[in-house]
Amino acid sequence: MWKRTDPQAKIKAGDRPQTCHSLALGPATESALPHPLELSDFQSFSVFEDISHHIKDVGAQLVKKVNAIFQLDITKDGKTILQWTIDLKNGSGDTYLGSARLPADTVFIIPDSVFMELIVGKMNPQKAFLAGKFKVKGKVLLSQKLERIFRDWAKF
């Protein structure tokens, strides 16, 4: 549904981000994992970096249309391994690593692999949600706006 016309052009397994190569996450995840996480080990990291660049380009327009803060809790084996926030409520929009600085309107709890299947169009978001592949807290209907953002990003 959010399919990029050429997903391999920007998302490749093994791509290494140019910034923030590793990050020691908070106490909850540090106890679950014995050493600092390599952000590039997660497929979703390169996607969020790319989306961040897109939001920097068109964020002001998106803030006017969306007016919401989304937090995405990326999980692995049932534990949150990364948190990303897409703030399209304040200023000219922002995407950043970590939990929402202001209360999020919608929080997605989604496995890294499911997120990637949604991004490349192998899975329908509505069907995945109804099948329990990921959870949504807060204003569920705002997820449709996030879906449009990902769709626009895929065309970018």
Side-chain angles (χ1 to χ4, degrees), residues 21-25 29-30 33-39 41-42:
H21 288 285
S22 66
L23 173 72
L25 297 179
T29 51
E30 282 180 4
L33 298 169
H35 50 78
L37 297 172
E38 286 288 326
L39 292 178
D41 289 345
F42 305 107

mmCIF file of all heavy atoms in Angstrom, residues 21-25 29-30 33-39 41-42:
data_model
loop_
_atom_site.group_PDB
_atom_site.id
_atom_site.type_symbol
_atom_site.label_atom_id
_atom_site.label_comp_id
_atom_site.label_asym_id
_atom_site.label_seq_id
_atom_site.Cartn_x
_atom_site.Cartn_y
_atom_site.Cartn_z
ATOM 1 N N HIS A 21 26.022 5.931 13.819
ATOM 2 C CA HIS A 21 26.226 4.510 13.531
ATOM 3 C C HIS A 21 25.806 3.602 14.663
ATOM 4 O O HIS A 21 25.383 2.487 14.431
ATOM 5 C CB HIS A 21 27.686 4.244 13.161
ATOM 6 C CG HIS A 21 28.017 4.783 11.814
ATOM 7 N ND1 HIS A 21 27.606 4.175 10.662
ATOM 8 C CD2 HIS A 21 28.684 5.902 11.443
ATOM 9 C CE1 HIS A 21 28.029 4.877 9.621
ATOM 10 N NE2 HIS A 21 28.685 5.933 10.083
ATOM 11 N N SER A 22 25.933 4.013 15.878
ATOM 12 C CA SER A 22 25.456 3.171 16.969
ATOM 13 C C SER A 22 24.839 4.045 18.038
ATOM 14 O O SER A 22 25.117 5.229 18.142
ATOM 15 C CB SER A 22 26.593 2.334 17.553
ATOM 16 O OG SER A 22 27.534 3.172 18.164
ATOM 17 N N LEU A 23 23.980 3.420 18.825
ATOM 18 C CA LEU A 23 23.273 4.163 19.841
ATOM 19 C C LEU A 23 22.983 3.236 20.997
ATOM 20 O O LEU A 23 22.421 2.166 20.800
ATOM 21 C CB LEU A 23 21.956 4.703 19.266
ATOM 22 C CG LEU A 23 20.996 5.371 20.234
ATOM 23 C CD1 LEU A 23 21.556 6.725 20.647
ATOM 24 C CD2 LEU A 23 19.645 5.553 19.584
ATOM 25 N N ALA A 24 23.367 3.606 22.160
ATOM 26 C CA ALA A 24 22.987 2.845 23.343
ATOM 27 C C ALA A 24 21.618 3.355 23.749
ATOM 28 O O ALA A 24 21.448 4.538 24.035
ATOM 29 C CB ALA A 24 23.995 3.067 24.459
ATOM 30 N N LEU A 25 20.632 2.475 23.739
ATOM 31 C CA LEU A 25 19.272 2.881 24.056
ATOM 32 C C LEU A 25 19.053 2.840 25.551
ATOM 33 O O LEU A 25 19.881 2.375 26.305
ATOM 34 C CB LEU A 25 18.283 1.978 23.323
ATOM 35 C CG LEU A 25 18.371 2.075 21.809
ATOM 36 C CD1 LEU A 25 17.375 1.144 21.164
ATOM 37 C CD2 LEU A 25 18.131 3.483 21.316
ATOM 38 N N THR A 29 15.926 -1.336 27.185
ATOM 39 C CA THR A 29 16.469 -2.148 26.104
ATOM 40 C C THR A 29 17.894 -2.576 26.370
ATOM 41 O O THR A 29 18.324 -3.594 25.868
ATOM 42 C CB THR A 29 16.397 -1.401 24.761
ATOM 43 O OG1 THR A 29 16.959 -0.126 24.934
ATOM 44 C CG2 THR A 29 14.982 -1.295 24.270
ATOM 45 N N GLU A 30 18.630 -1.802 27.175
ATOM 46 C CA GLU A 30 20.010 -2.197 27.465
ATOM 47 C C GLU A 30 20.059 -3.521 28.209
ATOM 48 O O GLU A 30 20.930 -4.330 27.975
ATOM 49 C CB GLU A 30 20.712 -1.107 28.278
ATOM 50 C CG GLU A 30 21.144 0.055 27.430
ATOM 51 C CD GLU A 30 21.833 1.135 28.239
ATOM 52 O OE1 GLU A 30 22.044 0.948 29.448
ATOM 53 O OE2 GLU A 30 22.143 2.172 27.649
ATOM 54 N N LEU A 33 19.448 -6.393 25.659
ATOM 55 C CA LEU A 33 20.500 -6.625 24.690
ATOM 56 C C LEU A 33 21.852 -6.356 25.347
ATOM 57 O O LEU A 33 22.035 -5.330 25.994
ATOM 58 C CB LEU A 33 20.309 -5.718 23.469
ATOM 59 C CG LEU A 33 19.010 -5.963 22.708
ATOM 60 C CD1 LEU A 33 18.780 -4.866 21.703
ATOM 61 C CD2 LEU A 33 19.022 -7.308 22.025
ATOM 62 N N PRO A 34 22.804 -7.251 25.170
ATOM 63 C CA PRO A 34 24.059 -7.147 25.902
ATOM 64 C C PRO A 34 24.986 -6.019 25.478
ATOM 65 O O PRO A 34 25.866 -5.651 26.218
ATOM 66 C CB PRO A 34 24.714 -8.506 25.656
ATOM 67 C CG PRO A 34 24.110 -8.999 24.395
ATOM 68 C CD PRO A 34 22.728 -8.426 24.353
ATOM 69 N N HIS A 35 24.854 -5.457 24.299
ATOM 70 C CA HIS A 35 25.763 -4.415 23.837
ATOM 71 C C HIS A 35 24.988 -3.359 23.074
ATOM 72 O O HIS A 35 23.846 -3.581 22.683
ATOM 73 C CB HIS A 35 26.866 -5.009 22.951
ATOM 74 C CG HIS A 35 26.338 -5.890 21.861
ATOM 75 N ND1 HIS A 35 25.775 -5.407 20.713
ATOM 76 C CD2 HIS A 35 26.248 -7.243 21.787
ATOM 77 C CE1 HIS A 35 25.373 -6.424 19.957
ATOM 78 N NE2 HIS A 35 25.646 -7.536 20.578
ATOM 79 N N PRO A 36 25.587 -2.172 22.857
ATOM 80 C CA PRO A 36 24.878 -1.117 22.124
ATOM 81 C C PRO A 36 24.420 -1.609 20.760
ATOM 82 O O PRO A 36 25.098 -2.391 20.104
ATOM 83 C CB PRO A 36 25.929 -0.004 21.967
ATOM 84 C CG PRO A 36 26.913 -0.267 23.052
ATOM 85 C CD PRO A 36 26.917 -1.761 23.260
ATOM 86 N N LEU A 37 23.263 -1.130 20.384
ATOM 87 C CA LEU A 37 22.680 -1.537 19.113
ATOM 88 C C LEU A 37 23.324 -0.794 17.957
ATOM 89 O O LEU A 37 23.617 0.388 18.063
ATOM 90 C CB LEU A 37 21.177 -1.227 19.116
ATOM 91 C CG LEU A 37 20.345 -1.963 20.147
ATOM 92 C CD1 LEU A 37 18.935 -1.397 20.149
ATOM 93 C CD2 LEU A 37 20.312 -3.440 19.860
ATOM 94 N N GLU A 38 23.523 -1.489 16.873
ATOM 95 C CA GLU A 38 23.917 -0.840 15.620
ATOM 96 C C GLU A 38 22.619 -0.455 14.926
ATOM 97 O O GLU A 38 21.834 -1.332 14.556
ATOM 98 C CB GLU A 38 24.709 -1.808 14.734
ATOM 99 C CG GLU A 38 26.115 -2.063 15.194
ATOM 100 C CD GLU A 38 27.018 -0.857 14.976
ATOM 101 O OE1 GLU A 38 26.830 -0.124 13.991
ATOM 102 O OE2 GLU A 38 27.899 -0.654 15.807
ATOM 103 N N LEU A 39 22.378 0.833 14.794
ATOM 104 C CA LEU A 39 21.128 1.275 14.178
ATOM 105 C C LEU A 39 20.969 0.727 12.774
ATOM 106 O O LEU A 39 19.869 0.434 12.337
ATOM 107 C CB LEU A 39 21.054 2.801 14.160
ATOM 108 C CG LEU A 39 20.927 3.446 15.527
ATOM 109 C CD1 LEU A 39 20.919 4.959 15.377
ATOM 110 C CD2 LEU A 39 19.695 2.982 16.245
ATOM 111 N N ASP A 41 21.553 -2.071 11.793
ATOM 112 C CA ASP A 41 21.112 -3.465 11.818
ATOM 113 C C ASP A 41 19.608 -3.575 11.591
ATOM 114 O O ASP A 41 19.105 -4.643 11.297
ATOM 115 C CB ASP A 41 21.466 -4.131 13.148
ATOM 116 C CG ASP A 41 22.960 -4.370 13.300
ATOM 117 O OD1 ASP A 41 23.691 -4.282 12.277
ATOM 118 O OD2 ASP A 41 23.396 -4.630 14.434
ATOM 119 N N PHE A 42 18.900 -2.490 11.766
ATOM 120 C CA PHE A 42 17.451 -2.505 11.612
ATOM 121 C C PHE A 42 17.079 -1.914 10.265
ATOM 122 O O PHE A 42 17.459 -0.798 9.943
ATOM 123 C CB PHE A 42 16.797 -1.725 12.750
ATOM 124 C CG PHE A 42 17.224 -2.241 14.093
ATOM 125 C CD1 PHE A 42 18.099 -1.512 14.868
ATOM 126 C CD2 PHE A 42 16.784 -3.468 14.545
ATOM 127 C CE1 PHE A 42 18.520 -2.000 16.095
ATOM 128 C CE2 PHE A 42 17.203 -3.959 15.771
ATOM 129 C CZ PHE A 42 18.073 -3.228 16.544
#
